[in-house]
Every structure is written in C-alpha cells, then in structure tokens.
Amino acid sequence: VASDVPTSMPWPAPDTGMAMNGSERPRTPLGRTLAWLGAWHPAVIHFPIALLLTAALLEVAAVVRRQPAYAAGNKLLLGIAMAAAFIAALLGWANAGLPEPVDAAALTTHRWLGTVFPFVLFGLWLLKRPTDEAVRRPASRLYELVLVIAVGLVLTQAFLGGEVTHGANHMRF
C-alpha cells in the first residue's frame, strides 16, 4: 500500500531498485549494492559542505582584510568540493531511490536541490579567478553573488537533509 512507503531512508526494492518500505532489506546483489552505496551519502556530503563554507569564509576574510591572497586558493577548494558533491549526489539517489508520488516535500526538495548543487559548484569554479590572478585582484561581483546563493543553498540542503533523516522538528529548541 502506498501509505506504507516511508519518506526517509528507504531501501531499494529487491526486484526493481525502487524505494519501498524501510523494514525490508534488498535481496538482489544490485539492490544490496545500491543500499550499501546509499548508506555512505550522509558521511560523504559533509566534505563538500565544509569546503564550500571554508571557501566562503576565506572570501570574507579577503574582503575584510583587503588581502585577495586569502582566497586565492579557493579555485582548488571549489574544484574538490564540486567533485565530491557529484559523488554525494549520486550516493543520495542510491540512498533515497527513485522519486515516488508519496514522497514528502522535504525529500523531494532535498533530492532536486542536491541534484542541482554540484552544478552550482561547477559554476562557482568557473567564475573563480585562477590562483595567480586571484592573488592580485579581488573576486568578481558575479562570483560573490553565486557564492552567497551557494551558501544559502547548502544551508537549506543541510536543514532538509536533517528533516528527512530526523523528522520535521529536528531543530526545535
């Protein structure tokens, strides 16, 4: 019955790889492999989040201290974050399975923002000046705007991921 399908951490169905009741474990090698890979999503996603937030902090330090060199290495940080985000997004799909009509809004939003996020990081990477140029010149306004959007996006993603994993009131004080 569709109402029995959970919206958080579902296992792929044994015969189809689709999301289903979390109490049943996958039986096929493909289903078990996808479930195992998907279980790595929560651990892997923290790396690109940390790299993006570090890059943002370094950009702020560069502006406040008027020293573009503080953020000169951010192109490398963003490149690594982008690669890790693509991996984390694939693991997220393995973790949640294919979309279902009964998926909660938090899961649906988290799934699609997570799919877009690596491409946002790719855009940031393209906009960031190469290190030798970034040492001498401050970041462009477009880069700074996309960076602010990316930080807002990753914070929203983190909140929604917590909601999917821990429930709607996970941040209640």
Side-chain angles (χ1 to χ4, degrees):
V1 180
S3 63
D4 293 336
V5 178
T7 57
S8 63
M9 308 300 256
W11 291 98
D15 55 347
T16 64
M18 304 286 284
M20 60 174 268
N21 189 318
S23 64
E24 294 184 39
R25 300 297 243 176
R27 293 188 192 107
T28 65
L30 176 60
R32 287 194 306 269
T33 301
L34 287 174
W36 183 81
L37 288 171
W40 285 97
H41 173 72
V44 172
I45 194 60
H46 292 90
F47 188 59
I49 291 171
L51 289 176
L52 172 66
L53 295 178
T54 300
L57 180 66
L58 289 170
E59 293 291 347
V60 169
V63 169
V64 169
R65 301 290 312 255
R66 296 185 183 160
Q67 294 289 330
Y70 282 15
N74 277 355
K75 186 144 183 135
L76 177 62
L77 292 179
L78 292 170
I80 296 168
M82 174 190 59
F86 275 108
I87 292 167
L90 290 172
L91 294 175
W93 277 90
N95 192 31
L98 295 175
E100 294 279 336
V102 295
D103 286 345
L107 176 59
T108 301
T109 305
H110 183 70
R111 174 184 279 126
W112 292 110
L113 285 178
T115 301
V116 168
F117 184 67
F119 295 99
V120 172
L121 287 177
F122 178 64
L124 269 174
W125 181 81
L126 289 174
L127 290 170
K128 180 63 180 165
R129 291 188 171 108
T131 302
D132 54 345
E133 186 181 343
V135 169
R136 295 184 301 277
R137 295 178 44 202
S140 71
R141 294 294 175 227
L142 179 59
Y143 168 79
E144 291 173 345
L145 175 65
V146 175
L147 182 61
V148 167
I149 290 169
V151 168
L153 178 65
V154 81
L155 295 176
T156 301
Q157 272 298 85
F159 177 82
L160 291 171
E163 186 170 319
V164 167
T165 306
H166 304 292
N169 293 321
H170 73 284
M171 292 297 289
R172 180 176 283 173
F173 182 65

